[in-house]
Amino acid sequence: MKNFTILPNGISAKFSPNDLYTLTGMYLTANKDYVTDSTYDQIAKLTGQSKGYIKDSFMPRLNGNKYCSIESYIKDGLRRKKYNLLKPSKNFRIIKKEVLTDCTLSSEEKGFIIALYCNCVNNSFNLSLSSWEFWKSRLKVAKSTFYKLKKALIGKNYLRQLAYMPMNPESGNHPDDYMLCVPWLGHKNYVEELDKYRKQ
């Protein structure tokens, strides 16, 4: 498994949070060409999702999607599948493998964080969550789910309002906005990002 993967930004509007988290797990198993032949059992074990969900719900939605092409082949007399994942050269986000072992979050919450991060401003961890109208075309969630997950992440301190993050340079200009405080996001995580400003 890789230490991190890149995901195309536009993926946030195409997959529900649960599916997006599962797909991130697949991305983490892919080789340098972003190809993986992980089995349903392997994906389930890696992500903590059920094999039934992987086989009957996730895979049918993944099949035919522009983010993945699926090929069948025979290996050692057994039918296998190879997944060719879209590898972006620009407009992507970095997700570290620790997403898989973060036990304080549900798979839906992890996927929601990834989706939000794909829409952060200027490669930062900052975002506005005040307008559902802005987000409804960027996330594949219902309005009620959006607010439920937002509330849950605030309660777990994975989302913090900039008004309470004075070291964030945008806190004075946009105090009602939020920062994703998630250690497994980005090449440099949010702590390292804030340290950069502390040293200036």
Side-chain angles (χ1 to χ4, degrees), residues 3 7 24 31 36 63 70 75 101-102 110 112 118 122 128 141 149-150 153-154 157-158 175-176 182 192 200:
N3 289 324
L7 291 177
T24 301
N31 62 23
T36 179
N63 193 17
I70 304 174
K75 182 179 180 180
T101 54
D102 189 335
K110 292 177 185 181
F112 187 63
C118 286
N122 297 328
S128 172
V141 294
L149 292 171
K150 173 186 171 183
L153 294 180
I154 291 171
N157 286 322
Y158 281 82
D176 294 330
V182 184
E192 295 167 306
Q200 289 180 352

Side-chain angles (χ1 to χ4, degrees), residues 9 11 27 30 57 63 66-67 104 113 137 143 145 163 182 194:
N9 291 349
I11 210 167
Y27 262 85
S57 298
N63 193 17
K66 75 173 186 176
Y67 293 97
T104 60
I113 285 171
S137 63
K143 184 177 181 179
T145 303
V182 184
L194 292 178

Side-chain angles (χ1 to χ4, degrees), residues 31 49 85 87 130 155 179 186:
N31 62 23
Q49 307 280 41
L85 303 169
K87 181 184 179 184
S130 58
M179 182 176 190

